[in-house]
Amino acid sequence: IPAKIETFYDLLHNDDKVLVSRALNAHLKHKAPYRVEARLRSKENGYKYFECTGKAIFENGKPVRMAGCNMDINERKVLENKLAVNEYLLSEAGRLARMGGWEYDIEKNENIWSKMVYDIYELPYDYDLSFDDPYTYFLPPYDELLRKAVEQTVKHGIIWDLELQLLTAKGQLIWVRSYGEPVFNNAGGVYKLRGVFMDIEKYKTNELALNRSIELVTQNN
């Protein structure tokens, strides 16, 4: 195929032509970096992703020559797209189920929460997670129940799965399910905790109502 700019544009995917044109024009007019990811038609496998980079040589303020490279990044890009789709599906599933994930680094004393965990606590996404006491949101006796479960996990690697009552940052009392498990280092010690946090208020309320109904029927009988 002829080594011309027209050939390059002919091989470009239609959806990427405007993107590449804007990046190229910005480089030639304003000397902005020319680096863009675009799809080019290949001989055998349809379109593939490439990272297109280049730099122009200017004389008297005008571009006279440009050199660069197109690097095949298709394998990485396809994987990124699959991960993005999976992340979206997981996010939507978590939103519908009111369930989020969390991780706590014991050595660094750092917490990582998914957005849904913030939503369950009714906290802003930029809230500082350096808790002085992470159990203050839980009512007695659930605060001590969770505290002991976490201690057992850190000391003995025991997984916990508890139903607890949580008082959110906005004062709502809800039932939650807390699941946590240890992450071990090479020496066999627990250095992280990670798990799932779920809003089960609707299910727990129905369960308690059903239990009360069963108790009333039993007493009447």
Side-chain angles (χ1 to χ4, degrees):
I1 58 177
K4 297 181 179 181
I5 187 65
E6 293 80 8
T7 305
F8 174 75
Y9 273 100
D10 182 58
L11 295 176
L12 266 176
H13 194 285
N14 285 333
D15 294 343
D16 295 335
K17 287 182 179 180
V18 173
L19 180 69
V20 172
S21 294
R22 287 177 179 173
L24 183 58
N25 290 334
H27 178 68
L28 298 179
K29 291 181 179 179
H30 309 293
K31 297 184 180 180
Y34 174 69
R35 181 184 297 272
V36 64
E37 294 180 356
R39 288 160 290 184
L40 294 169
R41 191 171 70 246
S42 64
K43 186 175 181 180
E44 299 175 354
N45 300 318
Y47 286 92
K48 298 175 70 174
Y49 281 96
F50 288 83
E51 182 182 73
C52 307
T53 60
K55 187 175 182 179
I57 297 174
F58 294 83
E59 291 181 2
N60 299 320
K62 294 183 179 181
V64 295
R65 182 179 297 178
M66 187 169 179
C69 67
N70 298 324
M71 183 171 65
D72 185 347
I73 60 168
N74 193 67
E75 186 175 342
R76 173 176 66 81
K77 196 67 180 180
V78 169
L79 180 59
E80 285 180 0
N81 291 339
K82 287 182 179 179
L83 289 174
V85 171
N86 290 338
E87 184 176 348
Y88 171 78
L89 292 175
L90 285 172
S91 177
E92 282 298 288
R95 182 182 66 84
L96 294 173
R98 296 281 296 169
M99 178 174 62
W102 59 270
E103 183 176 275
Y104 173 63
D105 191 312
I106 299 173
E107 298 174 354
K108 298 179 181 179
N109 192 29
E110 291 180 353
N111 280 289
I112 299 175
W113 287 3
S114 69
K115 288 185 176 180
M116 182 49 63
V117 177
Y118 285 95
D119 291 341
I120 295 173
Y121 274 86
E122 294 190 316
L123 291 169
Y125 297 143
D126 60 351
Y127 186 79
D128 183 9
L129 296 179
S130 302
F131 295 117
D132 292 329
D133 185 356
Y135 308 103
T136 54
Y137 288 95
F138 298 92
L139 298 182
Y142 302 107
D143 52 350
E144 283 301 315
L145 184 65
L146 180 59
R147 187 193 304 273
K148 291 178 181 179
V150 173
E151 290 175 355
Q152 289 296 309
T153 302
V154 174
K155 291 180 181 179
H156 307 294
I158 299 173
I159 294 173
W160 81 78
D161 189 353
L162 301 171
E163 293 182 354
L164 312 164
Q165 273 197 307
L166 170 76
L167 188 64
T168 71
K170 295 183 179 180
Q172 290 198 66
L173 185 62
I174 62 171
W175 282 95
V176 296
R177 181 179 178 184
S178 175
Y179 173 88
E181 62 183 24
V183 180
F184 299 94
N185 56 26
N186 293 332
V190 177
Y191 79 107
K192 281 185 180 181
L193 302 174
R194 63 167 62 116
V196 175
F197 202 68
M198 184 176 182
D199 178 355
I200 60 170
E201 173 65 18
K202 180 173 64 175
Y203 311 105
K204 192 67 177 179
T205 301
N206 292 338
E207 177 189 327
L208 294 174
L210 178 61
N211 289 338
R212 283 196 295 269
S213 297
I214 293 172
E215 288 176 4
L216 289 173
V217 171
T218 302
Q219 290 173 9
N220 289 336
N221 289 339

